[in-house]
Amino acid sequence: MQSSRSKPCSCPSLKLREVASMYFTMVAAFLVILVVALQGSAPRHSDFPYKVPLDPQGLLELSWNVSYPEQAVHFQLLIRELRFGLLFGMSDRGEFENADLAVLWSDGHNSYFGDAWSDAKGQLHMDSQQDYQLLGARRAPEGLYLLFRRAFSTCDPKDYLIEDGTVHLIYGILEEPVHSLQAINISALHGGLQRVQLLKPNVTIPELPSNMKTMEITAPDVVIPSQETTYWCYMAELPAGFPKHHIIMYEPVVTAGNEALVHHMEVFQCAAEFDSFPHYNGPCDSKMKPERLNYCRHVLAAWAMGAQAFYYPEEAGLAFGGPGSSRYLRLEIHYHNPLVFKGRRDSSGIRLYYTATLRPYDAGIMELGLVYTPVMAIPPGEDDFILTGYCTDKCTQLALPAAGIRIFASQLHTHLAGRKVVTVLSRDGRERQVVNADGHYSPHFQEIRMLKEVVAVFPGDELITTCTYNTEERSRATVGGFGILEEMCVNYVHYYPQTQLELCKSAVDPGYLHRYFNLVNRFNDEEICMCPQVSVPQQFYSIPWNTFNRDVLKSLYGFAPISVHCNKSSAVRFPGEWEKQPLPSITQRLPEPVPRCPPAPGPQPAAPVPLDLGRLRR
């Protein structure tokens, strides 16, 4: 939990704490009055614009808003069927151990709310600093609404540090009455996890044109398979002769009742080099799926559970239709059905908003990071192995316009071993700005995220993408590649104006990797076959992964020259020398962000808040 716990910071003087205490008391009192005033009616949707179901049955629904001036998140939890309480909280990867929790519990007669934490064994403890601040609780026809507040950072080492990127939310339902917090047995709870981006960017929504049209790319009344995980593919087709338009916005269309089953969705455009694509409606991993559908990989839209509508900047739109653009689209839906519901029908998808009045700029998508190649590998048994891909100054100098480009959104991507991803903009050897970062990245939660601020990239700049992997449960090396058990390190950045540069990535020079294999052979008793017919993956699989071999590989990736892929959309490199290029030299790093701890509302006893919820029954 070290990476997500609040970091030490200076705390305010007692005088300031007293003033803050009065302020937060007044705020809390006002909100409680507001809750009472709303008795019998649901809070307005606009008060909590972000919403996600926590459990597969939809019995727990979380809504929230983000206050950047207050540096706090306000939560509203709707409990449709209240038993004897629940746990809600955050942890590094969705574990119930070492978690930061808000707990509601009841002995059947009296109910309590408190801020708690769990230790490495899952035992609950009341937090000495009550940072989940209860704002109100009330019953409505649809269930119990629980309102509470939590600062991003709290100065409490037992608390989770709420950061940009993915947050793993956990929940547990109390089925039986308990007489104390310590009596709660986490292992016996009915619980689960949900991943969200809590800190949504506070971006201005651009004005939409009056001649805007919509198009829905949706599944055709699919019966969701009765298995936990399904990726469903459906082919759609634009009308013949469909001219060039700009997509300026898109949003999800989720079938009512399936909100907890539709995990994420993407719309891909197919390659223009093919005149036609076969129709298909079925599982993406089926042997019946036509091979040609693998050429539908250009992302037009992507949505994940908890995400809102996606807006393009008013200066740009994503082009589709017209000459050089395929008429064929592939919808991919990830259904997450852990309770194995049978017979559920679904017509979910994505609604595109588009206009024939083209905006000044076409938006583009550029791949940053590592080339999909087995020369980049991760030894087994690693808890935080780092690989880095480079978009070099030489490539941006050649391929970007003099006025530069503006990055406004980003989608990070790895396969199953990925744990962290970050892209940093460097200029003249100095790190200038984080483009996008996710310190709790999950390969099971990937979405296109609008950036809090547009990032300007100019010719000669470098874009450096670093991925951290965990292979503790693997027994052999993990190599780069397209397979799900192979690895990737990618940032798909969305920018304008569109250029010819579609891919700016790197990999270690193959010749230097060959020297590494020779070195391993020389210093190990076991011989690694260096025969030409033996593939790079096979050579990695045969390495005995002692400390020496691990450390030398890490060192190799940290100093060896790289092969740079500075590619046009045709997959052809820009003219130039791209092999054995030196690693970019970074002379000045960005400082680590220091959490800003808010004024604490005065010393508070480590005691729960009593709630009058009446007598609870099984």
Side-chain angles (χ1 to χ4, degrees):
M1 285 289 289
Q2 290 179 352
S3 63
S4 65
R5 295 297 194 187
S6 290
K7 301 170 185 175
C9 57
S10 60
C11 290
S13 67
L14 183 60
K15 190 170 184 180
L16 182 58
R17 291 174 73 98
E18 290 171 351
V19 173
S21 177
M22 294 172 61
Y23 168 75
F24 282 113
T25 301
M26 291 171 64
V27 170
F30 171 75
L31 284 164
V32 169
I33 292 170
L34 177 65
V35 171
V36 173
L38 287 170
Q39 189 73 29
S41 64
R44 294 175 303 171
H45 175 73
S46 58
D47 293 335
F48 298 94
Y50 313 116
K51 183 172 69 173
V52 67
L54 289 182
D55 67 309
Q57 292 177 289
L59 299 178
L60 300 174
E61 182 179 281
L62 179 72
S63 304
W64 74 97
N65 65 44
V66 182
S67 172
Y68 285 101
E70 291 183 40
Q71 293 280 288
V73 180
H74 294 84
F75 295 100
Q76 174 187 272
L77 193 55
L78 170 59
I79 309 165
R80 297 188 189 278
E81 295 181 11
L82 179 63
R83 308 286 170 77
F84 291 92
L86 67 94
L87 282 69
F88 167 83
M90 299 167 268
S91 66
D92 268 354
R93 309 296 311 175
E95 315 90 341
F96 277 84
E97 297 76 27
N98 296 318
D100 177 16
L101 299 161
V103 186
L104 172 68
W105 76 96
S106 173
D107 60 9
H109 301 279
N110 303 304
S111 300
Y112 304 92
F113 176 92
D115 182 346
W117 59 276
S118 62
D119 59 27
K121 295 182 179 179
Q123 178 64 48
L124 292 186
H125 306 269
M126 185 64 65
D127 202 327
S128 59
Q129 188 173 308
Q130 293 287 294
D131 292 306
Y132 282 107
Q133 298 167 7
L134 182 66
L135 303 177
R138 64 173 190 81
R139 290 188 179 275
E142 60 270 30
L144 175 72
Y145 284 98
L146 199 62
L147 279 73
F148 50 99
R149 175 189 185 278
R150 170 68 154 71
F152 299 170
S153 175
T154 63
C155 271
D156 183 349
K158 298 300 183 184
D159 283 354
Y160 182 96
L161 176 63
I162 301 176
E163 301 173 290
D164 291 334
T166 302
V167 177
H168 291 72
L169 303 176
I170 55 176
Y171 67 89
I173 298 172
L174 299 180
E175 305 279 0
E176 301 289 337
V178 290
H179 295 283
S180 69
L181 179 82
Q182 289 73 20
I184 297 174
N185 180 7
I186 284 182
S187 62
L189 294 180
H190 166 65
L193 76 92
Q194 183 63 276
R195 300 175 182 94
V196 300
Q197 180 196 20
L198 274 183
L199 302 188
K200 300 288 188 181
N202 188 18
V203 297
T204 303
I205 296 176
E207 187 175 343
L208 300 175
S210 58
N211 66 345
M212 180 177 65
K213 297 180 179 180
T214 64
M215 175 188 300
E216 292 189 358
I217 313 296
T218 57
D221 198 28
V222 167
V223 177
I224 300 175
S226 53
Q227 58 191 36
E228 180 169 347
T229 300
T230 300
Y231 284 84
W232 193 271
C233 284
Y234 170 68
M235 291 296 292
E237 189 175 339
L238 296 176
F242 187 76
K244 180 179 177 179
H245 290 76
H246 270 166
I247 297 173
I248 55 177
M249 169 192 167
Y250 62 81
E251 64 182 0
V253 179
V254 180
T255 299
N258 292 345
E259 292 86 354
L261 302 181
V262 179
H263 187 271
H264 69 258
M265 302 181 285
E266 292 183 277
V267 175
F268 299 90
Q269 189 167 35
C270 301
E273 62 200 71
F274 297 99
D275 293 332
S276 64
F277 280 80
H279 290 285
Y280 181 72
N281 180 40
C284 299
D285 59 356
S286 169
K287 294 180 180 179
M288 302 300 292
K289 187 188 79 171
E291 185 73 22
R292 187 168 287 190
L293 268 60
N294 294 331
Y295 291 90
C296 304
R297 295 174 53 194
H298 178 69
V299 178
L300 286 185
W303 172 88
M305 190 181 284
Q308 297 288 92
F310 183 92
Y311 294 87
Y312 281 85
E314 59 186 1
E315 306 91 349
L318 186 64
F320 81 133
S325 175
S326 176
R327 291 173 47 215
Y328 296 91
L329 309 175
R330 176 168 65 89
L331 172 68
E332 181 175 305
I333 303 179
H334 173 199
Y335 294 111
H336 181 58
N337 184 13
L339 299 181
V340 196
F341 292 121
K342 295 182 179 179
R344 285 283 190 95
R345 307 193 79 89
D346 186 69
S347 298
S348 298
I350 288 179
R351 181 182 296 118
L352 304 175
Y353 291 75
Y354 62 98
T355 176
T357 305
L358 301 182
R359 291 178 166 182
Y361 302 111
D362 285 350
I365 301 172
M366 186 190 307
E367 285 190 41
L368 307 175
L370 287 172
V371 180
Y372 309 130
T373 168
V375 302
M376 305 301 296
I378 306 136
E382 294 283 345
D383 62 346
D384 59 350
F385 196 87
I386 292 173
L387 294 177
T388 300
Y390 301 91
C391 177
T392 63
D393 54 352
K394 185 176 178 180
C395 181
T396 62
Q397 186 70 55
L398 186 65
L400 297 188
I405 60 172
R406 306 293 184 269
I407 299 175
F408 60 88
S410 162
Q411 182 183 18
L412 306 175
H413 178 74
T414 76
H415 285 173
L416 300 180
R419 294 296 181 269
K420 300 178 183 179
V421 187
V422 59
T423 296
V424 175
L425 169 70
S426 174
R427 183 175 300 143
D428 301 323
R430 299 165 59 192
E431 291 183 346
R432 299 299 182 99
Q433 189 175 359
V434 173
V435 177
N436 193 9
D438 195 338
H440 299 276
Y441 172 85
S442 170
H444 304 293
F445 184 65
Q446 302 181 39
E447 58 180 353
I448 301 174
R449 291 176 180 167
M450 290 180 280
L451 303 184
K452 288 182 178 177
E453 58 184 55
V454 172
V455 177
V457 185
F458 296 99
D461 287 352
E462 295 160 331
L463 292 161
I464 302 172
T465 301
T466 299
C467 294
T468 303
Y469 302 94
N470 183 297
T471 57
E472 287 181 300
E473 297 184 1
R474 299 192 180 186
S475 57
R476 72 175 190 178
T478 299
V479 299
F482 290 95
I484 193 63
L485 293 179
E486 296 173 329
E487 265 310 329
M488 293 184 173
C489 178
V490 186
N491 185 354
Y492 299 98
V493 292
H494 295 242
Y495 72 97
Y496 69 89
Q498 186 178 33
T499 70
Q500 292 188 64
L501 182 60
E502 188 163 287
L503 184 148
C504 189
K505 304 164 84 173
S506 73
V508 70
D509 176 72
Y512 274 74
L513 181 64
H514 188 75
R515 294 183 193 180
Y516 167 76
F517 289 139
N518 280 330
L519 183 68
V520 168
N521 246 343
R522 191 181 311 164
F523 284 90
N524 289 276
D525 295 333
E526 300 178 42
E527 285 264 332
I528 299 172
C529 181
M530 307 299 296
C531 315
Q533 67 271 23
V534 176
S535 66
V536 168
Q538 289 300 326
Q539 292 181 66
F540 271 120
Y541 299 155
S542 65
I543 290 177
W545 289 107
N546 53 44
T547 302
F548 175 81
N549 292 342
R550 294 173 188 271
D551 290 346
V552 174
L553 183 63
K554 290 179 185 178
S555 178
L556 174 80
Y557 289 147
F559 80 84
I562 53 176
S563 170
V564 176
H565 287 232
C566 184
N567 293 9
K568 301 178 182 181
S569 56
S570 60
V572 175
R573 288 183 184 178
F574 280 83
E577 180 52 52
W578 302 110
E579 301 301 331
K580 291 185 169 56
Q581 297 296 295
L583 289 181
S585 175
I586 305 301
T587 58
Q588 184 176 330
R589 303 280 181 183
L590 285 170
E592 285 290 324
V594 178
R596 190 183 93 187
C597 296
Q604 294 180 335
V609 177
L611 286 175
D612 183 11
L613 300 180
R615 184 180 177 87
L616 300 182
R617 304 176 186 276
R618 289 183 175 83

